[in-house]
């Protein structure tokens, strides 16, 4: 046998164990039977969660900021406009005074109801120099004794110019059931010479600024009167009169 054909033959020891072989490991186990760690191919990473990008958040916050800024700007412009109108027109509440009060009729009917008819003359005063007042339909004037309404009447519809005083004659009528008790109370009060009456005003009006007519508001007022008598067909003397008014949208 030629030298290049020769193979080296290593001698084997008699009784020597065979060379170790790599045991088969079932898939999914990470260690061999002897506990040696085994290497596996890397696992695929899980899909990351989807979150809003910072760009979308920034756009949303920017929209909120612009909206708030616009709202604040509108409020500032509105407040400035109201302030300018107030300084230019200097609005004042209209006021009223009770000039005369006459009782045309006050009697008990056969059914013991109390019938009352008052004639009231009042002065409506518009103290504004640049504001006109439209008195709209639906205005009411009423006279009360304690918590009982004796009579009521309608206010006329008219326009009142700047710094104008208008005299109004209003007839008030009413009927109260079970009026005998009320009539006795009025007669006893009349003996003192001081009878308290409450005259209430409810007037829907519209304000005119220059050529602009604004929406309707309500003027609510009360005049606490003290009269000396409730005799029919006589001019009643008004001893005291205290009137308060306010405006309601």
């Amino acid at each position: 046998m030629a030298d290049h054909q020769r193979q080296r033959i290593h001698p084997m020891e008699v009784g020597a164990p065979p060379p170790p072989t790599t045991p088969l490991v079932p898939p999914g186990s990470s260690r061999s039977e002897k506990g040696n760690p085994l290497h596996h191919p890397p696992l695929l990473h899980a899909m990351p969660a989807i979150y809003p990008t910072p760009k979308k958040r920034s756009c949303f916050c920017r929209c909120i900021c612009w909206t708030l800024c616009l709202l604040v700007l509108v409020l500032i412009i509105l407040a400035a406009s109201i302030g300018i109108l107030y300084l230019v027109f200097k609005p004042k509440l209209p006021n009223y005074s009770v000039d005369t009060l006459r009782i045309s009729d006050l009697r008990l009917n056969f059914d013991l109801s109390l019938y009352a008819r008052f004639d009231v003359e009042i002065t409506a005063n518009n103290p504004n120099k640049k504001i006109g007042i439209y008195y709209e339909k639906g205005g009411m004037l009423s006279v009360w004794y304690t918590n009982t309404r004796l009579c009521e009447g309608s206010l006329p519809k008219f326009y009142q110019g700047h710094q104008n005083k208008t005299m109004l004659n209003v007839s008030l009528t009413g009927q109260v059931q079970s009026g005998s008790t009320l009539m006795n109370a009025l007669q006893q009060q009349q003996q003192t010479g001081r009878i308290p009456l409450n005259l209430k005003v409810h007037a829907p009006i519209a304000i005119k600024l220059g050529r602009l007519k604004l929406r309707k508001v309500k003027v609510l007022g009360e005049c606490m009167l003290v009269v000396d008598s409730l005799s029919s067909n006589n001019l009643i003397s008004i001893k005291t009169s205290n009137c308060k008014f306010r405006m309601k949208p």
Side-chain angles (χ1 to χ4, degrees):
M1 182 179 297
D3 293 339
H4 62 275
Q5 294 179 347
R6 291 179 180 176
Q7 296 179 355
R8 292 185 177 180
I9 300 175
H10 298 281
M12 296 182 62
E13 296 181 0
V14 178
T21 58
T22 304
L24 295 177
V25 180
S29 64
S30 58
R31 291 182 175 271
S32 64
E33 294 178 354
K34 295 182 180 181
N36 296 326
L38 300 178
H39 298 284
H40 297 283
L43 298 176
L44 295 177
H45 294 287
M47 292 292 293
I50 300 176
Y51 297 99
T53 59
K55 185 176 181 180
K56 291 183 178 179
R57 290 183 179 179
S58 176
C59 291
F60 179 74
C61 294
R62 193 176 303 168
C63 291
I64 293 295
C65 291
W66 277 108
T67 303
L68 292 177
C69 292
L70 183 61
L71 181 60
V72 171
L73 181 61
V74 170
L75 292 177
I76 292 175
I77 294 175
L78 182 61
S81 302
I82 293 175
I84 292 174
L85 289 175
Y86 183 83
L87 292 176
V88 171
F89 292 97
K90 298 179 180 179
K92 297 178 182 179
L93 278 175
N95 56 77
Y96 309 87
S97 62
V98 181
D99 301 327
T100 61
L101 175 64
R102 184 185 297 273
I103 298 177
S104 301
D105 199 353
L106 183 65
R107 68 177 187 272
L108 279 175
N109 295 323
F110 291 108
D111 59 356
L112 297 182
S113 62
L114 178 65
Y115 176 80
R117 178 174 179 178
F118 290 12
D119 293 320
V120 183
E121 184 180 276
I122 62 175
T123 299
N125 178 33
N126 177 18
N128 296 281
K129 295 180 180 180
K130 300 180 181 180
I131 298 177
I133 300 176
Y134 288 95
Y135 284 85
E136 303 291 348
K137 185 178 179 180
M140 299 298 296
L141 189 67
S142 57
V143 175
W144 296 65
Y145 175 73
T146 61
N147 294 323
T148 303
R149 184 176 58 192
L150 298 177
C151 52
E152 66 178 355
S154 300
L155 292 173
K157 180 181 177 181
F158 66 100
Y159 171 74
Q160 189 174 31
H162 310 155
Q163 291 185 315
N164 176 265
K165 290 184 179 182
T166 303
M167 307 290 293
L168 301 174
N169 292 307
V170 184
S171 294
L172 316 176
T173 59
Q175 189 167 344
V176 182
Q177 300 299 325
S178 302
S180 58
T181 303
L182 180 61
M183 190 66 172
N184 292 332
L186 289 173
Q187 289 175 350
Q188 291 178 5
Q189 192 74 49
Q190 184 169 336
Q191 294 177 1
T192 65
R194 298 181 64 86
I195 304 170
L197 297 176
N198 186 4
L199 190 146
K200 296 184 179 182
V201 178
H202 179 276
I205 64 173
I207 306 299
K208 183 180 179 183
L209 300 178
R211 296 183 179 181
L212 180 62
K213 183 179 179 180
L214 303 182
R215 68 183 185 91
K216 292 181 182 180
V217 294
K218 296 176 183 178
V219 173
L220 304 178
E222 290 189 9
C223 290
M224 306 301 296
L225 308 177
V226 175
V227 299
D228 64 342
S229 173
L230 292 179
S231 300
S232 300
N233 298 319
N234 288 326
L235 189 64
I236 306 302
S237 174
I238 301 174
K239 293 183 174 294
T240 61
S241 175
N242 183 18
C243 299
K244 295 180 180 180
F245 302 93
R246 61 188 177 93
M247 191 171 292
K248 182 180 179 182

